[in-house]
Amino acid sequence: MSIQIWTWILVGITFTLYIGIAIWSRAGSTKEFYVAGGGVSPLANGLATAADWMSAASFISMAGLISFNGYDGSVYLMGWTGGYVLLALLLAPYLRKFGKFTVPDFIGDRYYSNVARSVAVFCALLVSFTYVAGQMRGVGLVFSRFLEVDINTGVVIGMIIVLFYAVLGGMKGITYTQVAQYCVLIFAFMVPAIFISIQMTGNPIPQLGFGGSDENGIYLLDKLDRLHKELGFAEYTSGSKSTLDVFLITAALMFGTAGLPHVIVRFFTVKKVADARKSAGYALLLIAILYTAAPAIAVFSRTNLIETVSNQEYKKMPEWFGNWEKTGLIQFDDKNKDGLIQYVADAKKNELIVDKDIMVLANPEIAGLPNWVIALVAAGALAAALSTAAGLLLVISAAVSHDLIKKMINPNITEKGELLAARLAAVVAVCVAGYFGIHPPDFVAATVALAFGLAAASFFPAIILGIFSKRMNSEGAISGMIIGILLMLFYMMKFKFDWFGGGTKEDWWFGISPEGFGTIAMCTNFLVSIVISKITRAPPEEVQEIVENIRIPSGAGEATHQ
Amino acid sequence: MVSENKKKYWNKNLKYLAILLSIWFLVSFVFGILLVDELNLIRIGGFKLGFWFAQQGAIYVFVMLIFVYIKLMNKLDKEFGFNEDER
C-alpha cells in the first residue's frame, strides 16, 4: 500500500479514537472543565502531562535542531527536561495544596490583588497564544506533506478536531485524549528510531546505538565528527555557541518550563499532594523516553543524510528527495553544473538547503523503512501537535472565563454561565490560533522559543517567592513581574523584530542571545521583588497563614474556585 | 507545639531540596556545560563524557532525582503525620 493510503488509515483511526474519548468524557461542571473534576490518577496525569508538554516542536523540530547544531542542541535536551525537576520539587506539590483552578488564581490570591491577577492573565495569554500558533502550523505541515491536501485545509481539519474535544470535554476530555495521544506519539517516535538504530549499529536501543559503532567498528559519533570536518562544518560533538550563552539558554528553558501555565495547571487535576509529586515523576520519565532517543535520531539522520547526498549525482537521488523538494523544504541549486550535490558549510559553494523541520519526518524515508512506519510518524506528529494545542487552549479559555469574567468582571455569574463562557472562549481561541496557523506572522517561530523566556521572566519568580517567602508582598511581586516581562519583551523586540533601533549579534548585551536573556530578566524580577518587598509593608496575617498552610501536604481537599 | 512540628518538617524539606537541587545543577550546568571540554577528554565507549552528560546523562539523573524526592517526602510526611491516606 502507498504511504498516502497508510497515512489516511492511521490518521483516521487515531482521530476516531480521540473523538470517541471526547464524547465519553464530556464535562458537566466548571470543575470538570477546568481541572477534570480533580480526581485524575497520578499515572494518567503523568501520561497527559507528557503529551501536553511534548509539542510539534519536541516531536518534529527538536531532533532536527540537534541534528544541525550538534552539541549546541543540548540546550533543548537539558532545558526541557531539567525544568521538571524544578516543577516537581518547587512548585507542583504546593500549588496542588493551594487548590485553585488556574495560575492567575494563585497569583491573584497569594498577592491579594486584582492587579497581580490581571498581570498574570496578560502573561498567561501572551505565552499561550505565541505557543499555540506554532502547533497549528505543525498540523498544517504534516497534512500537506503526507496527505497532499493544501496546508490551509490541514490547519482547518486540525482546528475542527481540537475544537470538538476541547470545547466539549474541557480538561476532562483533554486529559483522557492526551493519555491516548501520548501512546500514539511515543510509539510513532520510537518505532523508526529502533529500526534505524538496528540498521546503523545493530543495537535495538537507540540510546545505546547512539554511542555504538558501524559495521567497520568505527564509533558513529567519531564518524560524524570526521564527516563534519571534511565538509567544513563545526565538529558535531563540540558546537559553536559561547559557554555563557549555552548556560543562560539552558537555564531560561528550564525556568520557563517550570513557569508555563499549561504545564502547571495539569498538577491541579490530581487528588492530593503526594499524587502531584508522583505524577511529575511519571511525566518526566515518560518525556525522557523521547528526549533521550531524540539526540540518537539526530546523529543517525545526520549521518544518513550526509552519506546519501554528499557528492552524489542529483539524478540518482531516491524518491523522498523529490517529494520533499516539491514542498520546498529541500532545495538544490547546482551552482558548478557538475550534476553532483555539494553539501558543504561554505555558503558560496553549498548547493543543498535542507529545512531542519523535516529531519524526523523524512528520516524513515531516508532510511528506507516500510510505508506504514512513515505513516505512523505522521500520525504521531499530529498527536503531539494536537495534544499541546488543546492544553494551551484550555489555559486561554480558563484565563478568560474564570480569571477575567468570574473573578473580576462578574463574580455573580452562574455555574452554567461560566461554563458557557469557557466554551465560547475556547472557540474564539481556536479560531485565532487557526488564523495564525494559516497566516503565520514571521515572528511565530522566533517567539515560540521566546515564550519560555517570557514565562521565566514573569511567573517563575512570583510563584517561587509566593511559596518560599512569607514576607513577599503584592508590591514586590507585581513590580517584579512587570519589570521582568517588560525587560524580556524589550530585548526580544529589539533583537528579534528590529524595534527600538534593532541590533545585530554584535550588539547583544555581553553576547547574550535573546533566547538566553530570559534568565537575566528572571534574575532581575527576583531582585526587584525582594528589594521592593523589603521597603514596603508585610502581607496581611491571613495571607501569611495561607503560605504556612500550603507548605504542609495534609488536608489538600479538592480544587475549588471559591 | 503543632507549629514547632510544622517548622521542623519545613526545614527538613528545605534540606532535601538543597541537596537534590545541587545534584541537578552539577550534572547539567557543571558537567554538561561548564566542564564539558575537560570531561570530553574522557571517553566511555563511543561517547565523550561531557557530551554524554549534556545529551543523555543529565536527563537520566533528573528522572532519578524526582523519584528519590518522592520517596523522601512520602517518608517525611508519614514521620510527621502529614500524609493523606486514600479517602
Side-chain angles (χ1 to χ4, degrees):
Chain A
M1 271 196 289
S2 75
I3 295 177
Q4 209 178 343
I5 294 174
W6 269 116
T7 312
W8 279 117
I9 294 174
L10 289 178
V11 169
I13 293 173
T14 52
F15 277 25
T16 315
L17 179 70
Y18 305 153
I19 292 175
I21 294 172
I23 293 172
W24 164 72
S25 57
R26 281 184 313 276
S29 66
T30 51
K31 194 173 166 193
E32 286 189 339
F33 195 90
Y34 295 137
V35 294
V40 179
S41 81
L43 180 61
N45 192 43
L47 285 158
T49 310
D52 197 32
W53 172 242
M54 291 190 283
S55 61
S58 294
F59 192 98
I60 303 175
S61 310
M62 193 177 65
L65 272 170
I66 300 166
S67 189
F68 283 79
N69 296 323
Y71 168 78
D72 288 343
S74 314
V75 297
Y76 304 107
L77 293 167
M78 287 188 285
W80 286 339
T81 53
Y84 273 83
V85 178
L86 300 172
L87 258 175
L89 272 57
L90 302 177
L91 284 93
Y94 311 109
L95 291 175
R96 173 61 195 91
K97 176 64 192 296
F98 182 72
K100 292 292 163 79
F101 283 170
T102 66
V103 175
D105 241 1
F106 174 79
I107 304 272
D109 287 9
R110 167 62 182 83
Y111 295 116
Y112 46 96
S113 146
N114 270 348
V115 178
R117 195 186 302 271
S118 314
V119 174
V121 168
F122 171 76
C123 297
L125 291 178
L126 185 70
V127 170
S128 302
F129 264 120
T130 51
Y131 214 109
V132 80
Q135 305 308 319
M136 284 301 171
R137 199 64 197 162
V139 173
L141 182 73
V142 173
F143 270 104
S144 70
R145 167 60 185 86
F146 291 97
L147 300 175
E148 293 183 11
V149 298
D150 179 52
I151 198 158
N152 295 346
T153 318
V155 172
V156 173
I157 298 175
M159 276 168 63
I160 294 169
I161 298 289
V162 177
L163 198 63
F164 192 79
Y165 69 76
V167 173
L168 197 66
M171 188 56 128
K172 199 175 164 203
I174 288 176
T175 301
Y176 295 105
T177 325
Q178 280 173 339
V179 170
Q181 281 162 335
Y182 176 81
C183 302
V184 172
L185 83 87
I186 202 71
F187 188 67
F189 198 83
M190 294 310 287
V191 166
I194 290 167
F195 266 116
I196 296 171
S197 185
I198 293 173
Q199 222 175 52
M200 295 186 71
T201 67
N203 195 325
I205 302 168
Q207 285 87 341
L208 299 177
F210 186 15
S213 47
D214 66 6
E215 66 273 17
N216 303 321
I218 300 169
Y219 286 125
L220 217 52
L221 285 164
D222 291 342
K223 183 155 104 183
L224 191 53
D225 275 347
R226 201 198 67 225
L227 285 171
H228 263 217
K229 239 180 236 163
E230 280 172 13
L231 301 175
F233 295 104
E235 197 181 44
Y236 189 84
T237 52
S238 306
S240 51
K241 279 198 173 89
S242 78
T243 303
L244 175 70
D245 212 23
V246 171
F247 189 98
L248 292 176
I249 295 175
T250 307
L253 295 178
M254 283 191 189
F255 294 113
T257 299
L260 282 178
H262 74 285
V263 178
I264 294 175
V265 75
R266 288 239 46 102
F267 296 98
F268 293 126
T269 65
V270 293
K271 220 184 208 158
K272 50 185 187 172
V273 174
D275 287 354
R277 294 183 199 130
K278 214 192 269 174
S279 57
Y282 283 132
L284 184 60
L285 179 68
L286 296 163
I287 291 167
I289 297 173
L290 188 143
Y291 272 66
T292 50
I297 292 184
V299 166
F300 299 151
S301 59
R302 184 75 186 160
T303 313
N304 251 342
L305 175 75
I306 293 177
E307 291 193 324
T308 311
V309 302
S310 183
N311 279 322
Q312 302 295 318
E313 265 181 64
Y314 174 66
K315 286 207 183 92
K316 287 194 183 152
M317 277 298 112
E319 203 190 337
W320 60 264
F321 194 93
N323 287 341
W324 283 103
E325 255 188 321
K326 266 186 257 162
T327 62
L329 296 173
I330 286 184
Q331 287 167 17
F332 172 65
D333 170 19
D334 197 0
K335 289 179 186 157
N336 60 2
K337 307 271 182 264
D338 63 354
L340 302 177
I341 299 173
Q342 266 88 33
Y343 181 50
V344 291
D346 184 355
K348 276 192 201 123
K349 289 190 190 136
N350 180 38
E351 300 176 340
L352 182 72
I353 296 170
V354 181
D355 190 292
K356 56 189 181 314
D357 277 351
I358 69 170
M359 291 313 286
V360 165
L361 299 177
N363 202 21
E365 292 176 275
I366 298 177
L369 297 183
N371 286 348
W372 66 268
V373 177
I374 299 165
L376 188 63
V377 172
L382 287 172
L386 291 176
S387 59
T388 307
L392 289 161
L393 290 170
L394 196 88
V395 167
I396 295 170
S397 88
V400 172
S401 66
H402 185 69
D403 300 314
L404 267 183
I405 298 179
K406 165 93 183 172
K407 289 286 178 153
M408 292 195 275
I409 298 171
N410 179 13
N412 298 325
I413 192 167
T414 59
E415 162 92 6
K416 253 193 178 152
E418 193 185 341
L419 196 56
L420 181 68
R423 289 199 159 117
L424 285 177
V427 173
V428 174
V430 172
C431 295
V432 175
Y435 175 83
F436 282 126
I438 292 169
H439 306 280
D442 296 332
F443 56 84
V444 163
T447 27
V448 166
L450 293 167
F452 288 87
L454 292 169
S458 57
F459 285 125
F460 187 75
I463 300 174
I464 288 294
L465 291 169
I467 297 164
F468 288 86
S469 161
K470 260 194 287 185
R471 182 64 178 70
M472 184 49 56
N473 57 16
S474 64
E475 290 86 349
I478 293 171
S479 38
M481 276 197 290
I482 291 178
I483 290 177
I485 200 142
L486 286 183
L487 190 62
M488 183 64 211
L489 278 173
F490 166 76
Y491 201 79
M492 171 177 141
M493 285 167 174
K494 182 168 169 67
F495 292 110
K496 284 280 177 184
F497 313 151
D498 266 345
W499 295 7
F500 308 114
T504 57
K505 232 176 149 170
E506 281 71 43
D507 303 322
W508 287 353
W509 303 354
F510 308 104
I512 300 167
S513 63
E515 287 82 4
F517 193 75
T519 309
I520 305 291
M522 180 190 76
C523 294
T524 313
N525 179 340
F526 268 115
L527 201 72
V528 168
S529 302
I530 291 166
V531 170
I532 299 279
S533 76
K534 288 265 192 264
I535 55 173
T536 44
R537 66 191 140 79
E541 201 56 38
E542 65 264 24
V543 171
Q544 301 198 29
E545 249 163 60
I546 295 182
V547 180
E548 281 285 344
N549 189 36
I550 57 176
R551 292 177 175 182
I552 304 301
S554 51
E558 292 174 346
T560 152
H561 63 310
Q562 293 313 311
Chain B
M1 208 47 216
V2 173
S3 100
E4 194 58 30
N5 210 22
K6 281 185 182 170
K7 212 174 219 170
K8 257 195 202 151
Y9 171 87
W10 184 244
N11 287 337
K12 204 143 190 201
N13 178 17
L14 291 182
K15 203 179 91 195
Y16 288 158
L17 293 184
I19 296 169
L20 294 172
L21 289 177
S22 310
I23 302 174
W24 165 81
F25 186 81
L26 188 74
V27 293
S28 51
F29 290 100
V30 178
F31 290 169
I33 298 173
L34 297 175
L35 294 182
V36 69
D37 293 331
E38 286 76 7
L39 288 177
N40 273 347
L41 300 173
I42 306 168
R43 294 190 65 121
I44 42 165
F47 290 110
K48 294 174 180 168
L49 190 59
F51 179 81
W52 181 80
F53 264 109
Q55 301 214 335
Q56 295 275 294
I59 303 175
Y60 297 137
V61 178
F62 292 156
V63 175
M64 283 186 270
L65 284 176
I66 299 188
F67 281 97
V68 169
Y69 170 75
I70 295 170
K71 226 179 166 155
L72 286 174
M73 289 311 282
N74 284 347
K75 224 180 95 199
L76 193 66
D77 289 353
K78 223 175 242 166
E79 196 183 314
F80 282 82
F82 293 146
N83 57 326
E84 290 177 291
D85 292 321
E86 294 296 333
R87 269 168 299 171

